Amino acid sequence: MSTGLDGFEHAYAHVNGVRLHYVTGGSGDPLVLLPGWPRTWWQYRKMLPALAEHFRVIVCEYRGMGESEKPESGYGKANMAQDVYELVRHLGHDRVNIAGEDVGSWIAYFFAATHPQSTAKLAMWDPGAPDPVLAALPVLPASAEANAWHFGFNQLDGLPEHLLAGRYRILIDWYADKIAGDPGAIDAESRAIYARAYDSPEAIRAVAGWYRTLSQDIEEATRFPELTMPVLVPGGNFLELSRASNEHRARDIRFVQFPGAGHYLAEERPGELSRELIEFFGGASAA
């Protein structure tokens, strides 16, 4: 089934006990892209044509996202990384480049940490690895602009779906307008696509699954040794949070800032981010 983007197709696979939806296109070394919350594969639409000139791109809607299955359990990031790993193997790849934003960055980190032999290079941003610095974010911050209220809200039992089912567009708009450096980069069509993806109680419960496991993920991530593959951490206004979460995670790590960008780099700065990823991943040969 076509995606509406030339050369890209929708596909599905049953792996690790879950049915995953993914979008794939292009040719070259495999590059896995993982979206963030509250997004879907569509967040990478502006980047896919450029990336497809260099890589075989696989955008995975992980467990609970978009058209992927939304089971009751299995949302620990090590298990979600195993989902992605088994998808990669299902597609015939032994070694891949991988990149992720937001919740996708947590999964990308666990993929690299649990399957280092299968990870050529890793890029992750906003925030990257699940780290104790996230648990230390204040419940009552000095500035409302630095409020991370959604960490707790998304864990609540029953309340998010009662408040947001059928009304997720309110949250999509609020976040786009508050934490994007350029809110106009997230257009009305895209906001509607994201809202439809999260409007159902089932989808909202899946989001709760991602966040309810976060304390466990943070503790588990502290047990891994430093990553040995090259790591890239891009960022905009939130780069310092990413730096604090990741500077001790890898032996070979580089941070790059896009001044003035907000949280949604793939949509706000698709050209700059594509160039960084092409330059970074282009030097490694993955089989």
Side-chain angles (χ1 to χ4, degrees):
M1 180 172 54
S2 174
T3 62
L5 297 173
D6 288 344
F8 281 86
E9 301 291 330
H10 293 280
Y12 302 84
H14 286 273
V15 293
N16 198 31
V18 68
R19 184 174 187 257
L20 296 184
H21 167 243
Y22 61 99
V23 169
T24 189
S27 60
D29 291 342
L31 170 59
V32 177
L33 299 176
L34 301 176
W37 172 83
R39 295 292 187 269
T40 67
W41 78 269
W42 183 251
Q43 80 167 66
Y44 289 112
R45 69 199 177 279
K46 300 177 185 178
M47 299 174 58
L48 292 180
L51 294 177
E53 294 179 6
H54 301 267
F55 308 103
R56 180 62 176 173
V57 183
I58 305 154
V59 190
C60 176
E61 289 189 329
Y62 39 79
R63 179 183 296 246
M65 173 178 280
E67 295 182 41
S68 289
E69 191 176 356
K70 300 167 180 63
E72 293 291 329
S73 61
Y75 293 102
K77 303 311 170 295
N79 188 59
M80 294 176 72
Q82 184 66 24
D83 295 344
V84 178
Y85 173 74
E86 294 193 17
L87 174 63
V88 163
R89 296 306 304 270
H90 170 80
L91 295 175
H93 304 300
D94 295 323
R95 197 161 179 252
V96 299
N97 297 304
I98 188 165
E101 175 184 287
D102 191 79
V103 173
S105 72
W106 298 338
I107 300 167
Y109 170 78
F110 269 92
F111 184 101
T114 56
H115 297 288
Q117 74 288 350
S118 296
T119 309
K121 293 184 179 181
L122 164 68
M124 53 183 177
W125 60 94
D126 282 13
D131 190 82
V133 72
L134 300 179
L137 291 172
V139 175
L140 187 63
S143 168
E145 300 305 314
N147 198 310
W149 64 274
H150 64 280
F151 279 44
F153 176 77
N154 281 334
Q155 297 181 35
L156 296 176
D157 184 14
L159 184 61
E161 52 264 48
H162 282 299
L163 292 179
L164 292 174
R167 296 188 290 271
Y168 222 84
R169 178 64 183 268
I170 296 170
L171 188 146
I172 299 293
D173 286 341
W174 190 89
Y175 267 106
D177 294 339
K178 293 293 184 183
I179 66 173
D182 177 13
I186 302 101
D187 59 32
E189 177 189 10
S190 298
R191 296 180 188 210
I193 288 170
Y194 300 142
R196 286 195 297 271
Y198 288 95
D199 258 344
S200 71
E202 180 186 40
I204 298 169
R205 284 194 296 271
V207 173
W210 301 338
Y211 283 89
R212 284 176 186 155
T213 58
L214 184 53
S215 293
Q216 165 197 322
D217 300 329
I218 290 171
E219 194 280 328
E220 191 170 353
T222 64
R223 304 177 201 163
F224 293 115
E226 283 185 317
L227 300 176
T228 57
M229 74 288 296
V231 176
L232 175 70
V233 181
N237 296 337
F238 302 97
L239 182 63
E240 291 312 306
L241 177 63
S242 294
R243 188 185 303 277
S245 296
N246 298 291
E247 58 188 355
H248 54 292
R249 297 285 177 178
R251 298 175 188 175
D252 179 4
I253 188 167
R254 182 168 68 90
F255 297 88
V256 58
Q257 186 159 29
F258 303 150
H263 180 52
Y264 304 112
L265 294 186
E267 294 174 285
E268 295 182 58
R269 301 291 179 88
E272 291 175 67
L273 184 56
S274 294
R275 286 192 294 273
E276 287 289 341
L277 295 186
I278 291 166
E279 179 181 357
F280 175 67
F281 289 127
S285 177

